[in-house]
């Protein structure tokens, strides 16, 4: 084994450890994949996780912005020269950044090359988390969709390249799946985000329900708030419905992993909808029974053939 290949294998192993430690709702779905596809998903997850962590660190915004600039440059260097180190003084100034570059990016670059993932999708994710450094509320749904497409839809579009697709008909449903998942996250995290002074739901939606940002920051739960949550859940449901068409453009293993991910988040949305009056009191999550039911369903479900484009 060459030194370059050894570096890539070490990187994949590191990404796998990150996934296992994360306890993410997505990680059990990776078990539905085998070989290179599972490794590819682990590499993508590690990239997304590290990118998100850079934006969410307790450091001042200017520090986080600079870290993301270096991370983007390191990504470009690695993708342009897969056999190189992908790092250097102009890319990182802290020891942990050097470690992340050398530990994560070799596997990411190998995954991008192996599955022909458009690099702009990874750049879109960085663009999205950068928005969190300068924007803490959105006037319209159109503005929010731009954010969601970067931090979530771009992730979904990268994933379907790993899973394997039949035709460009998969692209729009994959985008919709990303919107559905991100809107679910936004609704679940309304209280936590409000404590940080963030409002992701469009201000036009708040106004239409007669609910104000001050109400949100104060954790007011009344008919206006419940109407706002219901309206937002209806919008997310529409994206889940449109995104369900993706199933028919995936191969069997992709159908299972995608189905498990979307089923998990769809059930979470249903729980948020049922317990909207508790959003400010606790973090709403699925219990182990619900998670087990989802896992069993998609591990045992007979696969269907992918649609012919």
């Amino acid at each position: 084994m060459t030194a370059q290949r050894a570096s890539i294998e070490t990187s994949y192993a590191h990404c796998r450890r990150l996934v296992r430690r994360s306890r993410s709702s997505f990680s059990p779905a990776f078990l539905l994949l085998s070989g290179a596809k599972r490794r590819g998903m682990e590499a993508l997850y590690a990239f997304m996780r590290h990118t998100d962590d850079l934006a969410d660190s307790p450091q001042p915004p200017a520090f986080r912005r600079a870290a993301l600039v270096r991370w983007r440059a390191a990504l470009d260097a690695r993708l342009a020269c897969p056999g190189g180190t992908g790092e250097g003084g102009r890319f990182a100034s802290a020891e942990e950044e050097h470690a992340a570059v050398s530990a994560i990016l070799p596997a990411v670059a190998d995954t991008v090359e192996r599955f022909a993932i458009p690099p702009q999708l990874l750049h879109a994710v960085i663009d999205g988390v950068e928005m969190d450094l300068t924007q803490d509320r959105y006037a319209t749904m159109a503005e929010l969709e731009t954010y969601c497409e970067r931090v979530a839809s771009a992730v979904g579009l990268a994933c379907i390249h790993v899973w394997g697709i039949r035709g460009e008909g998969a692209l729009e449903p994959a985008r919709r799946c990303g919107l559905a998942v991100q809107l679910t996250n936004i609704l679940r995290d309304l209280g936590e985000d409000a404590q940080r002074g963030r409002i992701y739901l469009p201000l036009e939606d708040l106004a239409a329900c007669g609910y104000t940002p001050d109400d949100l920051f104060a954790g007011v739960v009344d008919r206006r708030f419940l109407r706002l949550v219901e309206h937002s859940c209806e919008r997310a449901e529409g994206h889940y419905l449109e995104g369900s068409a993706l199933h028919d453009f995936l191969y069997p293993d992709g159908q299972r992993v995608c189905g498990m991910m979307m089923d998990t988040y769809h059930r979470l949305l249903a729980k948020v909808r049922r317990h909207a009056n508790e959003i400010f009191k606790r973090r709403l999550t699925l219990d182990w029974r619900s998670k087990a039911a989802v896992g069993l369903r998609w591990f045992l479900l007979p696969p269907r053939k992918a649609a012919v484009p």
Side-chain angles (χ1 to χ4, degrees):
M1 181 184 295
T2 66
Q4 178 186 342
R5 193 65 226 175
S7 172
I8 292 172
E9 292 302 320
T10 299
S11 179
Y12 274 119
H14 176 77
C15 293
R16 183 176 303 114
R17 289 192 296 271
L18 286 179
V19 170
R20 289 175 178 173
R21 291 200 301 264
S22 72
R23 298 181 182 272
S24 166
S25 298
F26 284 152
S27 58
F30 298 170
L31 298 175
L32 294 164
L33 299 170
S34 60
K37 289 185 178 183
R38 183 188 298 181
R39 283 153 49 97
M41 287 300 299
E42 291 167 344
L44 285 180
Y45 178 88
F47 174 84
M48 307 305 174
R49 179 74 271 159
H50 184 70
T51 302
D52 200 47
D53 287 346
L54 288 176
D56 286 343
S57 80
Q59 300 293 339
F63 183 97
R64 287 179 276 162
R65 189 175 298 109
L68 286 168
V69 168
R70 292 192 294 270
W71 181 236
R72 188 193 298 272
L75 171 67
D76 283 343
R78 172 63 68 169
L79 294 180
C81 186
T85 64
E87 58 183 325
R90 67 190 182 96
F91 298 137
S93 60
E95 183 179 345
E96 60 268 23
E97 289 186 63
H98 282 292
V101 167
S102 59
I104 295 173
L105 290 186
V108 172
D110 189 66
T111 296
V112 167
E113 181 178 13
R114 183 183 299 270
F115 296 103
I117 299 172
Q120 60 264 32
L121 295 176
L122 303 187
H123 279 286
V125 175
I126 300 175
D127 292 340
V129 300
E130 282 181 333
M131 291 176 69
D132 279 332
L133 303 182
T134 58
Q135 191 167 354
D136 58 15
R137 56 196 67 188
Y138 297 84
T140 66
M141 188 60 210
E143 282 188 14
L144 180 61
E145 278 198 8
T146 297
Y147 172 77
C148 293
E149 286 173 350
R150 290 174 176 175
V151 299
S153 293
V155 176
L157 289 166
C159 288
I160 64 175
H161 282 79
V162 175
W163 301 338
I165 56 174
R166 298 280 302 273
E168 294 187 358
L171 301 183
E172 179 59 18
R175 186 184 76 88
R176 295 281 190 162
C177 285
L179 292 173
V181 167
Q182 191 60 27
L183 287 175
T184 301
N185 282 332
I186 286 170
L187 287 164
R188 179 197 60 192
D189 297 339
L190 274 179
E192 295 175 18
D193 289 331
Q195 290 177 0
R196 296 195 292 263
R198 291 191 170 279
I199 304 175
Y200 285 101
L201 290 182
L203 296 180
E204 64 181 6
D205 287 359
L206 272 70
C209 295
Y211 196 75
T212 70
D214 287 341
D215 291 327
L216 185 62
F217 294 143
V220 174
V221 175
D222 56 16
R223 284 182 293 180
R224 297 171 303 154
F225 176 74
L226 296 178
R227 187 162 61 247
L228 173 64
V229 172
E230 179 63 22
H231 172 73
S232 302
C233 286
E234 283 290 335
R235 176 180 283 140
E237 285 285 2
H239 290 305
Y240 279 109
L241 180 61
E242 295 292 333
S244 65
L246 177 59
H247 184 94
D248 292 330
F249 292 92
L250 299 174
Y251 291 95
D253 53 355
Q255 290 174 353
R256 286 194 167 108
V257 69
C258 180
M260 187 171 174
M261 289 179 174
M262 297 308 295
D263 195 356
T264 297
Y265 272 82
H266 198 191
R267 290 183 186 221
L268 177 59
L269 179 69
K271 184 164 187 176
V272 169
R273 201 171 194 171
R274 290 194 308 271
H275 300 282
N277 60 330
E278 300 180 36
I279 285 176
F280 294 114
K281 298 177 182 178
R282 63 188 178 98
R283 184 180 178 84
L284 297 172
T285 59
L286 296 182
D287 59 32
W288 69 269
R289 292 180 182 84
S290 296
K291 292 178 180 178
V294 172
L296 285 173
R297 176 190 177 190
W298 291 100
F299 269 101
L300 301 176
L301 188 73
R304 289 159 45 188
K305 292 183 178 180
V308 177

